Amino acid sequence: MSTQRIVFVASPDFCQKFGTPRSIDEIKDCPSVTQVSGEWGRTHQFNHHGATIHFDVPQHLTMNSARAVKNACLTGYGYSLLPDFMVDKDIREGRLVRLLPDLEPVEQPIYAFYAQRRHMPQKIRVFVDFLHEAFGS
């Protein structure tokens, strides 16, 4: 198992059009693009000055693909909550900006699930071993 951090991001165009939110209350009024799968994606947790903040994500535009959410965010449609590993390069290169950086996201687990079989295909075993080596103990 490994973890991911979910961060608020938006495009520079979004910030010009809607302003740069400075608080949870301000961001709730902005259009959002979210990935929802079952209950995942509806609420996120952040640490702020020792307290845990639960953020109920407004459901303005909902998709079932993180890549589609990121693309909609890049076009300036709305802000998004996305895994940091997915947006780090875009932030470094100025295509996205991190919003509310003083909120520290609570890390979320990442799991690799596979069907338990007596005879697992070699390609699955190699991939799971790679994930284990790359991401966790």
Side-chain angles (χ1 to χ4, degrees):
M1 182 188 79
S2 190
T3 58
Q4 65 180 347
R5 295 166 19 117
I6 303 297
V7 295
F8 288 99
V9 293
S11 71
D13 289 342
F14 171 91
C15 292
Q16 283 183 336
K17 185 175 181 180
F18 296 101
T20 302
R22 304 275 182 231
S23 69
I24 285 285
D25 289 332
E26 286 182 17
I27 206 165
K28 286 179 182 177
D29 295 330
C30 297
S32 66
V33 183
T34 57
Q35 177 189 5
V36 174
S37 177
E39 287 305 309
W40 190 93
R42 297 184 190 282
T43 301
H44 291 284
Q45 295 178 357
F46 297 88
N47 293 318
H48 189 255
H49 301 295
T52 300
I53 296 171
H54 298 270
F55 179 69
D56 294 324
V57 183
Q59 306 294 306
H60 296 114
L61 176 61
T62 304
M63 301 177 171
N64 65 359
S65 161
R67 186 178 303 256
V69 168
K70 178 181 167 183
N71 288 339
C73 185
L74 285 165
T75 66
Y77 182 85
Y79 74 89
S80 298
L81 285 149
L82 290 166
D84 59 352
F85 68 84
M86 194 174 184
V87 296
D88 281 345
K89 183 176 180 185
D90 293 298
I91 292 170
R92 282 193 315 273
E93 295 178 0
R95 289 185 294 275
L96 292 174
V97 295
R98 183 160 175 210
L99 304 175
L100 308 178
D102 57 326
L103 294 179
E104 184 60 31
V106 173
E107 293 186 352
Q108 299 178 338
I110 299 172
Y111 299 97
F113 290 98
Y114 58 92
Q116 187 68 24
R117 298 185 193 174
R118 177 180 270 185
H119 302 290
M120 183 186 309
Q122 182 64 25
K123 64 184 175 183
I124 302 296
R125 177 79 262 157
V126 169
F127 182 65
V128 170
D129 289 345
F130 165 77
L131 292 174
H132 182 34
E133 184 178 313
F135 294 106
S137 54

